[in-house]
Amino acid sequence: MEAEPGVIRKLDEVVVNRIAAGEIIQRPANALKEMIENSLDAKSTSIQVVVKVGGLKSLQIQDNGTGIRREDLDIVCERFTTSKLQKFEDLSSIDTYGFRGEALASISHVAHLTITTKTKQDKCAYKASYEDGKLKGTVKPCAGNQGTQITVEDLFYNVPLRKQSLKAPNEEFQRISDVVSKYAVHNPQTGFLLKKFGENAAIRTQAKSTVENNIKLIYGGSIGKALLKIAIDDPILQLKVDGHITDVNFSLKKGIFLLFINHRAVESANLKKAIDNIYSSYLPKGSAPFLYLSLELDPNNVDVNVHPTKHEVHFLHEDECVEKIKEAVERALLGGNASRTFYQQALLPGASAPAVTAADAAKANDTTRLDYKETKLTSVLNLRKAVEDACDLDLRKIFSELTFVGVIDRRKALIQYDTKMFLTSTRVLCQELCYQMLLFNFGNLGAISLSPAISVAELASLALQDPDNGWTEEDGPIAELAERIVEILVSKAPIMREYFGLSISEEGLLESIPVVIEDYTPSVVHLATYVLRLATEVEWDDEQECFQSFCRETAEYYAKIALTKEDQEYKWETEHAIYPAIKQYLLPPKSFGKNGTILQVANLPELYRVFERC
């Protein structure tokens, strides 16, 4: 019997929609990416994601964006509904994310979807549930903040084969984490939070941060310390590139490549291959770099309508753009390699090499600052502004990109910036750094516990007996003065404990001092003088002067690093604690360029020419 041709039938609309949904929502991470992009389009400055069972049980995203209008909730989950397009020609200039209007529709066809939203104009929030692209029941008024909360439950409940093909919940959560990490780095103006339900945050970034800070926070301090800046502005190709790549000192077993084109996370095999070829000349075999690149192209030159998930894009002059980026990467690595070579030569026999645990410590220290309390005290804000206003931007660039060369003596060190060598005053830099750290971490300082606690009276007595502190018999008996110092500091203990992490008990025992610079502990030799000066030199009666003088006195104590520590300990802390903190945090005042705190002593190309003549 001959086979008959099959009858062509029109598929049921539900089947069509689920097929389309399967192309867009391949796993929980795809659903989250779509929703994050919608939140960013809504001008959100805060995006919070909570996940249950790798996103299969529940995937919730909440933002503080513009919200969805009440009258749009009826159709928001229908296919091809969008606020981004009106006519086909708009595709040629699209500069937002969710332009097709398929994200929420697709999710609603493979999961139970609930939206709670409030616009600035609404007096209350509205809650609506959806199934297969349609509103389920009625839209109900409810309490809620401005913005939108979307809850996706039981993902792929009606597509069992897709659900069975997914990885274990922890692997799916890692994919979700990768998505949040990428968008948090690329959007530092927005604060991101990701956590598993009932657990602490896995990722938390602050709004109004920077790309560099978020890279370090999310991917680790060792990557943050190795970053090189990439920048291109080519009017002919209509190409702008901003990025950060790791130098030749750093490598990973598995590379990390964050690529954004017109602010959308995408992949480019051509660009990745080209950059991998460059790094292969510098890095050991089997290792790879960290890369973050943001490309901006004329929207008319980009076809974003290539793939349902929009992870692939095509653009004009792709080969020329890739070549331009290759040249920029190579220039950056060549500069970084020069610094690297000189730095290695500067490590004299006996000098301590960077400890493996330093990067881990930096990453852990970043984590301790996640739950940050911001102060609203005008006095502190004024003091911070004074620091910012006094900052010399040229000096800041030098310090933020320094390579530490070595310790000269107990007061001086050598650093390198670009091709220039500078002699720096370590103590002056450390003192200003500590002052700024105390101000900008006001109310958020950790504490170094003293065990056993130390008697303030005994410290005061020791300080008064030191002739350098100026006590004479005319000032009165030491015991009475020491008792008065204890009274002053015990009465001011709540202020010091709450704002600075310095704890003095009611019995007059010094229990802790602040953590000002990570991996650095001030010398106990100067602790007695510090306690004396807290009682006698801090202006306790005026709020702003109190905070300023306390920070100055504390900074002076912490900067006394030179004379009391063993040589090896001093050198290690200088190289691995003080100068890395200077590089990351210091806002150097203009006076440092005039008073000898930093002096240029050599220009390396000129030195090389001298060596060539010898």
Side-chain angles (χ1 to χ4, degrees):
M1 182 178 178
E2 294 185 4
E4 296 291 328
V7 178
I8 296 176
R9 298 183 178 87
K10 186 176 181 179
L11 286 174
D12 182 89
E13 185 179 356
V14 173
V15 177
V16 172
N17 287 332
R18 287 184 185 170
I19 292 172
E23 292 178 344
I24 298 169
I25 311 302
Q26 298 171 354
R27 57 189 346 116
N30 296 118
L32 180 63
K33 178 178 180 289
E34 298 287 342
M35 293 190 290
I36 286 177
E37 292 178 345
N38 283 345
S39 292
L40 291 168
D41 274 341
K43 312 301 180 187
S44 303
T45 59
S46 173
I47 298 176
Q48 300 182 15
V49 179
V50 182
V51 178
K52 283 185 183 179
V53 193
L56 293 171
K57 182 66 176 176
S58 175
L59 182 62
Q60 184 180 89
I61 180 170
Q62 182 169 352
D63 65 50
N64 65 346
T66 55
I68 302 170
R69 300 189 311 162
R70 163 64 183 84
E71 51 268 36
D72 292 335
L73 287 173
D74 291 345
I75 64 167
V76 71
C77 284
E78 292 184 13
R79 291 189 72 194
F80 310 122
T81 56
T82 178
S83 62
K84 318 295 171 53
L85 296 174
Q86 293 184 359
K87 54 186 183 298
F88 180 81
E89 287 74 17
D90 291 343
L91 277 172
S92 64
S93 60
I94 193 71
D95 60 357
T96 56
Y97 296 108
F99 61 86
R100 284 201 193 91
E102 288 189 87
L104 294 180
S106 297
I107 295 170
S108 76
H109 283 288
V110 292
H112 299 119
L113 179 68
T114 303
I115 298 176
T116 304
T117 187
K118 181 181 181 298
T119 66
K120 185 177 181 180
Q121 292 74 26
D122 289 333
K123 294 182 179 179
C124 67
Y126 292 94
K127 185 175 183 179
S129 298
Y130 299 87
E131 188 174 304
D132 291 328
K134 302 296 183 182
L135 179 65
K136 185 178 178 182
T138 60
V139 177
K140 299 176 182 178
C142 63
N145 298 322
Q146 180 178 327
T148 301
Q149 176 182 289
I150 300 177
T151 304
V152 178
E153 296 179 298
D154 300 322
L155 188 62
F156 302 128
Y157 75 96
N158 54 1
V159 192
L161 287 177
R162 172 65 61 83
K163 190 170 186 176
Q164 292 171 14
S165 69
L166 295 177
K167 303 293 183 181
N170 283 341
E171 291 187 47
E172 294 302 327
F173 182 80
Q174 185 56 52
R175 292 174 184 267
I176 288 171
S177 179
D178 289 342
V179 170
V180 175
S181 298
K182 289 179 180 179
Y183 279 90
V185 166
H186 186 69
N187 298 275
Q189 76 283 353
T190 301
F192 282 79
L193 179 145
L194 168 66
K195 68 175 185 176
K196 295 180 181 179
F197 182 81
E199 297 186 15
N200 293 329
I203 295 173
R204 187 198 298 266
T205 65
Q206 300 295 324
K208 299 181 181 178
S209 183
T210 64
V211 168
E212 297 95 320
N213 284 344
N214 284 1
I215 289 174
K216 181 178 180 183
L217 184 68
I218 296 169
Y219 292 98
S222 55
I223 290 178
K225 293 175 182 177
L227 292 178
L228 300 172
K229 175 76 173 171
I230 297 290
I232 300 172
D233 189 351
D234 190 317
I236 297 175
L237 290 174
Q238 295 181 294
L239 168 69
K240 287 186 178 181
V241 179
D242 282 301
H244 298 274
I245 63 174
T246 46
D247 61 27
V248 292
N249 296 297
F250 180 87
S251 64
L252 296 163
K253 290 184 178 179
K254 184 178 180 181
I256 300 173
F257 189 6
L258 281 59
L259 176 62
F260 285 78
I261 296 181
N262 287 0
H263 308 292
R264 178 173 286 111
V266 294
E267 296 176 0
S268 171
N270 290 341
L271 181 57
K272 184 178 186 303
K273 182 179 179 180
I275 295 178
D276 283 345
N277 287 338
I278 296 172
Y279 271 96
S280 65
S281 302
Y282 296 95
L283 300 183
K285 188 175 181 180
S287 59
F290 170 92
L291 303 161
Y292 160 74
L293 294 177
S294 172
L295 282 60
E296 290 189 46
L297 297 157
D298 185 338
N300 292 308
N301 295 344
V302 183
D303 185 358
V304 293
N305 201 30
V306 177
H307 190 275
T309 65
K310 301 188 285 292
H311 79 276
E312 295 177 13
V313 296
H314 291 169
F315 54 94
L316 295 178
H317 315 301
E318 184 168 333
D319 291 342
E320 292 87 345
C321 290
V322 169
E323 189 63 32
K324 198 77 176 179
I325 296 169
K326 277 178 57 181
E327 293 172 2
V329 169
E330 198 142 34
R331 281 197 305 272
L333 292 181
L334 285 170
N337 193 40
S339 298
R340 176 197 194 193
T341 303
F342 191 89
Y343 176 72
Q344 287 181 327
Q345 292 170 348
L347 286 177
L348 301 176
S352 57
V356 175
T357 56
D360 299 331
K363 188 171 183 181
N365 291 334
D366 288 339
T367 305
T368 65
R369 290 193 290 271
L370 291 179
D371 297 320
Y372 185 80
K373 296 187 297 182
E374 184 56 83
T375 183
K376 295 183 179 179
L377 293 176
T378 303
S379 56
V380 177
L381 298 179
N382 287 341
L383 293 171
R384 290 177 178 176
K385 187 175 186 303
V387 170
E388 292 167 349
D389 291 345
C391 179
D392 186 305
L393 296 181
D394 292 332
L395 289 179
R396 175 58 193 152
K397 184 171 179 61
I398 291 172
F399 284 116
S400 67
E401 299 179 15
L402 72 85
T403 296
F404 184 81
V405 176
V407 173
I408 297 297
D409 57 29
R410 290 279 176 154
R411 294 184 180 274
K412 301 290 184 182
L414 274 181
I415 65 170
Q416 181 183 339
Y417 163 71
D418 195 17
T419 60
K420 298 179 175 63
M421 191 78 71
F422 295 90
L423 184 67
T424 56
S425 174
T426 302
R427 179 171 175 178
V428 175
L429 292 173
C430 182
Q431 186 168 341
E432 181 61 27
L433 171 69
C434 289
Y435 173 72
Q436 294 180 13
M437 295 289 279
L438 288 159
L439 282 180
F440 286 92
N441 287 319
F442 182 88
N444 293 278
L445 291 156
I448 301 171
S449 296
L450 303 178
S451 182
I454 304 172
S455 167
V456 174
E458 291 181 9
L459 289 172
S461 296
L462 287 172
L464 290 167
Q465 294 174 45
D466 186 342
D468 291 340
N469 288 327
W471 173 83
T472 66
E473 292 183 358
E474 295 178 359
D475 296 322
I478 286 180
E480 291 181 8
L481 293 175
E483 186 177 340
R484 177 59 184 148
I485 288 169
V486 173
E487 290 176 1
I488 292 171
L489 295 182
V490 168
S491 69
K492 305 303 180 184
I495 296 174
M496 294 187 286
R497 184 183 301 111
E498 179 178 0
Y499 296 133
F500 299 107
L502 190 151
S503 178
I504 296 176
S505 70
E506 294 181 358
E507 293 77 24
L509 296 177
L510 180 62
E511 299 173 327
S512 68
I513 58 176
V515 175
V516 180
I517 301 173
E518 301 295 345
D519 297 322
Y520 170 69
T521 304
S523 172
V524 294
V525 172
H526 302 289
L527 189 58
T529 299
Y530 172 52
V531 166
L532 172 64
R533 293 185 66 85
L534 286 182
T536 59
E537 302 301 324
V538 174
E539 297 290 341
W540 293 105
D541 295 330
D542 179 88
E543 183 178 290
Q544 183 163 317
E545 290 186 13
C546 168
F547 294 144
Q548 182 180 39
S549 55
F550 180 93
C551 292
R552 286 295 183 195
E553 291 297 332
T554 303
E556 183 177 347
Y557 163 53
Y558 276 67
K560 291 180 178 178
I561 57 176
L563 301 178
T564 59
K565 294 191 175 184
E566 293 293 331
D567 192 60
Q568 186 174 359
E569 181 184 9
Y570 166 73
K571 287 182 177 179
W572 192 95
E573 288 185 338
T574 299
E575 179 177 354
H576 298 291
I578 294 171
Y579 276 88
I582 288 170
K583 181 175 182 177
Q584 183 171 0
Y585 299 114
L586 181 67
L587 301 178
K590 298 177 178 65
S591 60
F592 280 9
K594 303 173 183 177
N595 63 11
T597 300
I598 176 169
L599 294 171
Q600 182 180 333
V601 294
N603 191 339
L604 297 185
E606 294 174 3
L607 280 180
Y608 295 151
R609 284 195 289 270
V610 171
F611 294 151
E612 287 170 0
R613 291 197 296 268
C614 294

